[in-house]
């Protein structure tokens, strides 16, 4: 169990897209109130699933073209990568269970 890390576009590309490591990434900006409200949920998710999924936060102001290349249209957004692909996106706030259920389904079927 660990805290979410601040990730870069290169890290996500290397580990999640090319390396196939499961990853849950929060796309956020420092000026967005909703991003600030989502941060504690991302921290909780890191504690719940961080031993098997890379959980990180990516500031889209620093990596705007990367976010756009993935189809991230709004912040905050959560994106789940599995098997080298972006397989699920969420916008705004939602229950933890909704996120963990999707991740569990992908883990149960493998890559």
């Amino acid at each position: 169990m660990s805290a979410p890390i601040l990730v870069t576009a290169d890290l996500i590309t290397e580990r999640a897209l090319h390396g196939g490591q499961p990853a849950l990434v929060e796309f956020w900006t420092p000026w967005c109130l909703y991003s600030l409200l989502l941060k504690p949920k991302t921290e909780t998710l890191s504690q719940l699933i961080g031993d098997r999924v890379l959980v990180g936060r990516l500031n889209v102001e620093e990596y705007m073209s990367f976010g756009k290349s993935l189809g991230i249209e709004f912040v905050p957004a959560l994106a789940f990568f599995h098997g080298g692909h972006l397989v699920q996106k969420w916008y705004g706030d939602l229950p933890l269970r909704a996120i963990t259920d999707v991740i569990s389904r992908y883990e149960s079927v493998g890559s």
Side-chain angles (χ1 to χ4, degrees), residues 2-105:
S2 60
I5 60 171
L6 292 176
V7 295
T8 64
D10 288 342
L11 180 72
I12 296 303
T13 300
E14 177 186 322
R15 291 178 60 183
L17 295 172
H18 294 159
Q21 178 180 9
L24 180 68
V25 179
E26 176 192 344
F27 291 80
W28 66 285
T29 60
W31 51 263
C32 175
L33 174 63
Y34 296 107
S35 291
L36 296 174
L37 294 172
L38 185 59
K39 182 181 178 185
K41 189 168 284 185
T42 304
E43 290 169 345
T44 299
L45 285 162
S46 182
Q47 292 172 354
L48 292 171
I49 62 173
D51 58 335
R52 58 188 198 275
V53 174
L54 170 68
V55 179
R57 301 180 76 233
L58 186 131
N59 183 341
V60 292
E61 286 191 335
E62 295 175 10
Y63 300 99
M64 195 168 293
S65 62
F66 182 69
K68 285 182 180 182
S69 74
L70 294 172
I72 302 298
E73 300 173 14
F74 309 102
V75 293
L78 285 172
F80 179 58
F81 299 85
H82 191 269
H85 303 283
L86 172 58
V87 296
Q88 181 75 43
K89 289 186 281 192
W90 299 273
Y91 293 103
D93 192 20
L94 65 156
L96 284 174
R97 180 73 183 247
I99 300 165
T100 57
D101 283 353
V102 167
I103 293 169
S104 294
R105 278 199 310 271

